[in-house]
């Protein structure tokens, strides 16, 4: 990969769309030149971010009683067509396999757009008794949507390469409801680890998952003020259980329909993380997901070069032993070019070691998030680096949280909403009636994102459409 | 999942085909009831084996300078059709996506049967200079073959769920040849970690990968004496480079075609591992890939039950802290049913702790591979378990190696080959001429597997067809 092509300057982050596209390329996350629209290639560096991110997702799911499994990609048409609402929601975006070799298939096969209809015929056979509950299974797979809208890497794809979908089964509607809450909590925890603050809200009824009783969602606010849906959690009631005949024997011996939930996270998690933390110089990565966490730059003069290089190697080995991902950049590039390169790649901490530092028995640490320089004593370099990682992570999250709060605007008039959503997310009272909601959306020219899962109490306001009294505000936003 | 359904006895391993199918089900590796032929579902337990196995594969590839990336599943027809030999090899087994939503696609999209034609258009853009070499990239993906033959879980699939394919780029044919050797070495190392001894051979020219200069392969010998191809390494020469126009600037400034290799391993690695080590009681897993490495069975009497349970919990926590995967089975099952269950799942070590053992400050360790019982002192239980793991792994490998050696039969007559391949792998001299090879295959009624990569020296024998002198023997076998 020709280095020279990548030394062009990144556009300023204010020009978010250009910045995002160029960053993916210059930081070697995705190559967008694959010869099919909406399909992209993960560069090794980008894939390393994905690996680290999905390790966090796996860890949090595994530790909360989920089990990873794997179901087929191809769904026979007859299974796919069983659930009426579900089909309506997906039929325009499903890819169909119609031929094997030169012969037409007896039954066309859908590429999963999501896996309810692949998994639930198996659940019909697996679910037997209330004693089996809860069943909490997830898989991380590629899914497909024939997007006709403008596609965008990591955000709107025809092959979603990294769809983590969980599917749970419970006895009662209430048990499933509790699992929805738990899933929102776990997803919030995952994003906390990525330093990404989220808005949690219930989607309006006309925007829920096809076939669900209701949908809760997590959104991030992107630098341009639009929201990005980065996690959804669906209460499926017993709708799919009835369609796929998933029954269990209750303690009283009766056969009853099970209740289900499903919830998903995709590579949008990575889109949000890099968009929110990045800056004019490139990526800024939380240490936990950075493919390179520390880069060591030897500052070399004619005299003492060997000692400096030996000290750098020693520090690298010690940090590696402490479980950190470390590189030495002893290339011939001038220091400025080295800084450019590693800053672009979001390396959280740069350690510079020269003869004078060695004399003082320190390394100079430069933080990617703040640019601050500090000396770290070499004898305790592991602890020094580790505590900087914590500080960097916390700073990234707090900065993002402040940024998010600054982009939420409480409004009372629809005109105000119309203006504020150019900058971020507006809130506005809503009586909860669908007709008022649709009128609001129409007048604003943007959709209701959702009803915040946590509401301020004891508010008494008026719906801007019907003037009915309400305690509830909703988020309104331009969305990706 | 109803336990009762699974307490039926496993067929003896001698009836390999039935044993294999029942084992996959009873040990909860795969569910074969998915409603499309050749597509199977990974149960969570099976998937945990996959995770551990692929962690080994990733570790060995990462440590040898490979980088993981990810390329799209869908390949446009025009790219797929570029390499003539390659198409001929695959055109009868490719699945085609022809519709998106309700509309026919402009260009049909192939589901990758392998990814040369997805990756090499990108390599054309990525490869610039000799200084970039070697490029060593791999991905772990689902690939698809429209198999018309009898399908079998983990072995012959329509969705290969776990295809690890590496694609390397080099300056010269010799550099690529060296990489082929390195890949065979790495794959042998991977299988060594799985306790699986392999046969390494060069496929006869008429059985090489479509588009390759030559193909080296690793085979396991299955319990029924048939071989299972569990890894292939292809020298692609500059064949694909010419088709996809992959050129680099040589040190002399000339533009030259690159030389390439590719090599793959699939879930057949797991098929071989469980088939070779398993026994009449179920799975026998090498500790490194066992989802549960140690099961602790409290032996409880009315007196001292609390102390026993407390000791079991303490041992579990200590082993977990040492990085081991441990379960306590304190269920109400009778001991025999517990042994049955955990033996079926291949747990390498069972620790029984009762009041008398506590009095002696020991646990009784029962090895899954040999059934041997030994006392392990509780104060050093971590070291005791860890050393048993090593012994179990080594025993599994040595046993499998002896088994393999006992199934290789050096023959001089074709009739003898015909008889011996009913039990295993035959070797027979071959002059190397294609016409003699094809006549041999025809007379034997089975194919030449390959020419062993290591030959005994100074042999002087006769080709059974043309009587020409030769130093070379070839493997002949019935294959999966």
């Amino acid at each position: 990969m020709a280095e020279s092509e990548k030394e062009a300057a990144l556009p300023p982050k204010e020009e978010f769309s250009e910045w995002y596209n160029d960053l993916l390329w210059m930081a070697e996350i995705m190559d967008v030149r694959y010869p099919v629209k909406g399909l992209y290639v993960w560069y090794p560096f980008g894939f390393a971010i994905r690996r680290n991110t999905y390790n966090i997702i796996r860890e949090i799911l595994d530790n909360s009683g989920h089990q990873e499994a794997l179901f087929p990609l191809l769904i026979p048409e007859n299974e796919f067509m069983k659930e009426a609402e579900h089909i309506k929601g997906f039929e325009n975006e499903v890819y169909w396999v119609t031929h094997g070799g030169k012969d037409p298939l007896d039954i066309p096969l859908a590429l999963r757009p999501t896996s309810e209809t692949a998994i639930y015929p198996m659940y019909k056979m697996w679910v037997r008794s209330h004693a089996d509950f809860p069943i909490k299974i997830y898989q991380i797979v590629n899914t497909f949507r024939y997007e006709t809208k403008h596609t965008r890497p990591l955000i709107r794809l025809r092959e979603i390469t990294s769809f983590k979908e969980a599917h749970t089964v419970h006895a009662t509607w209430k048990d499933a409801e509790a699992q929805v809450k738990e899933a929102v909590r776990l997803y919030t925890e995952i994003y906390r680890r990525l330093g990404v603050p989220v808005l949690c809200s219930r989607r309006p009824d006309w925007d829920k998952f096809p076939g669900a009783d209701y949908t809760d969602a997590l959104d991030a606010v992107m630098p341009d003020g639009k929201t990005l849906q980065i996690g959804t959690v669906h209460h499926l009631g017993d709708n799919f259980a009835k369609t796929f005949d998933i029954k269990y024997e209750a303690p009283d011996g009766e056969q009853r329909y099970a209740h289900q939930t499903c919830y998903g996270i995709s590579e949008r998690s990575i889109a949000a993380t890099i968009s929110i933390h990045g800056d004019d110089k490139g990526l800024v990565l939380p240490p936990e997901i950075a493919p390179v966490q520390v880069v060591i730059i030897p500052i070399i003069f004619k005299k003492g070069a060997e000692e400096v290089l030996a000290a750098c190697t020693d520090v690298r080995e010690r940090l590696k032993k402490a479980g950190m991902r470390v590189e030495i950049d002893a290339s011939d590039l001038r220091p400025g070019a080295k800084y450019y390169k590693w800053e672009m790649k979001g390396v959280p901490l740069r350690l510079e070691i020269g003869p004078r530092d060695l004399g003082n028995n320190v390394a100079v640490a430069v933080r990617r998030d703040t640019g601050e320089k500090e000396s770290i004593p070499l004898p305790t370099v592991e602890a020094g680096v580790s505590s900087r990682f914590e500080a960097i992570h916390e700073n990234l999250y707090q900065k993002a949280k402040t940024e998010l709060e600054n982009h939420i605007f409480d409004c009372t008039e629809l005109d105000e909403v119309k203006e504020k959503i150019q900058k971020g997310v507006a809130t506005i009272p809503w009586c909860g009636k669908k007709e008022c909601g649709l009128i609001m959306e129409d007048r604003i020219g943007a959709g209701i994102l959702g009803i915040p899962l946590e509401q301020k109490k004891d508010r008494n306001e008026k719906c801007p459409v019907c003037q009915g009294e309400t305690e509830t505000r909703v988020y309104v936003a331009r969305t990706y």
Side-chain angles (χ1 to χ4, degrees), chain A:
Chain A
M1 298 159 227
E3 284 301 326
S4 60
E5 288 177 43
K6 290 179 198 148
E7 290 201 15
L10 191 64
K13 195 177 172 186
E14 279 172 24
E15 300 165 21
F16 175 65
S17 191
E18 293 73 21
W19 176 88
Y20 181 78
N21 287 335
D22 283 13
L23 178 65
L24 292 182
W25 154 247
M26 293 169 78
E28 294 190 324
I29 295 175
M30 311 287 300
D31 193 327
V32 302
R33 295 173 294 173
Y34 189 76
V36 180
K37 172 183 149 85
L39 304 183
Y40 307 101
V41 174
W42 287 88
Y43 279 119
F45 187 80
F47 197 82
I49 297 174
R50 179 199 192 258
R51 237 199 225 187
N52 298 332
T53 303
Y54 279 74
N55 280 347
I56 294 174
I57 295 176
R58 280 197 166 97
E59 180 195 319
I60 288 178
L61 291 176
D62 291 350
N63 288 344
S64 55
H66 294 75
Q67 294 185 298
E68 190 171 359
L70 189 58
F71 296 82
L73 168 71
L74 302 173
I75 304 172
E77 188 181 35
N78 50 327
E79 294 292 343
F80 188 74
M81 290 302 189
K82 270 186 182 163
E83 221 286 331
E85 288 297 315
H86 194 66
I87 305 159
K88 263 197 273 173
F90 287 105
E91 63 184 350
N92 289 325
E93 18 183 277
V94 171
Y95 279 109
W96 290 101
V97 179
T98 58
H99 286 71
K102 287 164 184 163
D103 304 321
L105 299 176
D106 292 339
I107 299 177
L109 301 168
L111 301 192
R112 62 184 160 221
T114 169
S115 296
E116 288 72 18
T117 57
I119 296 177
Y120 300 168
M122 304 309 296
Y123 277 4
K124 173 187 160 64
M125 297 186 270
W126 291 2
V127 170
R128 287 282 169 271
S129 153
H130 66 96
D132 301 334
F133 294 142
I135 293 174
K136 299 197 281 183
I137 287 178
Y138 72 98
Q139 61 176 0
I140 298 174
V141 294
N142 50 352
T143 63
F144 293 82
R145 310 268 167 100
Y146 181 63
E147 292 285 353
T148 46
K149 290 190 223 172
H150 182 64
T151 54
R152 199 188 293 267
L154 301 178
I155 290 180
R156 188 171 296 281
L157 309 157
R158 288 187 166 180
E159 179 179 11
I160 299 160
T161 65
S162 316
F163 191 52
K164 191 290 299 164
E165 49 178 331
H167 296 268
T168 72
V169 193
H170 312 266
T172 66
W173 200 94
K174 274 201 119 145
D175 289 349
E177 185 188 31
Q179 187 60 35
V180 166
K181 281 186 188 154
E182 166 75 354
V184 170
R185 192 187 66 70
L186 293 172
Y187 278 11
T188 306
E189 188 184 331
I190 288 168
Y191 281 109
R192 183 67 176 81
R193 292 272 285 273
L194 299 174
V196 172
V198 293
L199 300 177
C200 299
S201 68
R202 183 151 304 171
R203 290 285 178 260
D205 202 52
W206 56 92
D207 196 24
K208 68 184 180 188
F209 182 71
D213 278 359
Y214 65 83
T215 291
D216 287 348
L218 292 83
D219 295 275
V221 178
M222 297 289 268
D224 59 1
K226 286 193 198 174
T227 60
L228 181 69
Q229 175 176 296
I230 52 173
T232 50
V233 184
H234 313 293
H235 193 310
L236 302 179
D238 58 5
N239 308 331
F240 283 86
K242 283 178 173 160
T243 304
F244 288 93
D245 195 32
I246 303 171
K247 284 181 186 161
Y248 69 96
E249 188 179 292
D252 60 10
E254 289 290 308
Q255 291 287 318
R256 295 220 176 81
Y257 284 116
H259 292 78
Q260 295 177 267
T261 81
C262 63
Y263 32 103
I265 273 188
S266 75
E267 54 253 63
R268 283 187 166 193
S269 54
I270 296 169
T273 305
I274 64 180
S275 299
I276 286 172
H277 303 314
D279 65 17
D280 288 355
K281 291 177 175 176
L283 287 177
V284 179
L285 293 174
E288 201 175 352
I289 64 165
V292 180
Q293 297 176 303
V294 178
V295 60
I296 304 172
I297 312 273
I299 309 292
I300 294 192
F301 301 92
K302 276 172 208 156
K303 221 178 104 184
E306 269 179 43
E307 286 83 348
V308 166
L309 281 173
C312 289
T313 307
D314 177 57
V315 168
R316 179 185 64 191
E317 293 312 308
R318 283 169 55 199
L319 293 179
K320 276 195 175 175
K321 219 171 157 186
M324 296 167 190
R325 299 182 285 272
V326 194
E327 300 269 353
I328 294 179
D329 187 347
S331 69
D332 290 337
L333 293 176
R334 59 194 166 72
K338 289 186 187 181
Y339 301 165
Y340 169 90
K341 174 180 167 184
W342 297 107
E343 283 171 352
M344 181 66 75
K345 293 213 162 167
V347 177
L349 206 63
R350 184 171 82 224
L351 292 184
E352 301 171 2
I353 302 179
R356 200 166 48 183
D357 306 310
L358 271 193
N360 297 329
N361 212 11
V362 299
V364 176
V366 185
R367 278 172 60 165
R368 176 66 182 88
D369 60 330
T370 58
E372 280 166 16
K373 285 192 178 198
E374 293 174 285
S375 286
I376 295 185
L378 287 179
T380 55
V381 68
E382 299 92 335
V385 167
S386 171
S387 71
R388 263 50 166 210
F389 281 177
E390 283 169 39
I392 291 168
H393 181 266
E394 200 49 30
N395 176 53
L396 289 179
Y397 177 70
Q398 293 303 340
K399 238 171 79 179
K401 198 158 166 267
T402 305
E403 190 76 1
L404 174 69
E405 284 158 2
N406 289 342
H407 282 82
I408 297 179
F409 306 100
D410 291 336
C411 305
T412 47
E413 304 291 335
L414 292 178
D415 281 346
E416 202 187 349
V417 171
K418 227 168 152 172
E419 181 207 325
K420 292 298 186 190
I421 60 170
Q422 299 312 315
K423 291 184 203 153
V425 177
T427 78
I428 181 98
W430 177 43
C431 63
K433 283 188 301 230
K434 184 172 177 182
E435 65 223 57
C436 290
L438 293 176
I439 290 170
M440 273 203 321
E441 289 190 341
D442 188 51
R443 289 197 196 152
I444 297 166
I448 291 180
L449 184 68
I451 305 140
L453 295 186
E454 286 177 22
Q455 293 276 355
K456 282 182 198 147
K457 302 277 172 191
D458 301 324
R459 233 167 5 193
N460 203 343
E461 302 185 300
K462 284 189 165 43
C463 172
V465 180
C466 71
Q467 304 301 320
E469 289 201 348
T470 178
E471 290 187 309
T472 305
R473 279 180 167 262
V474 291
Y475 292 134
V476 180
R478 292 172 304 133
T479 61
Y480 270 94

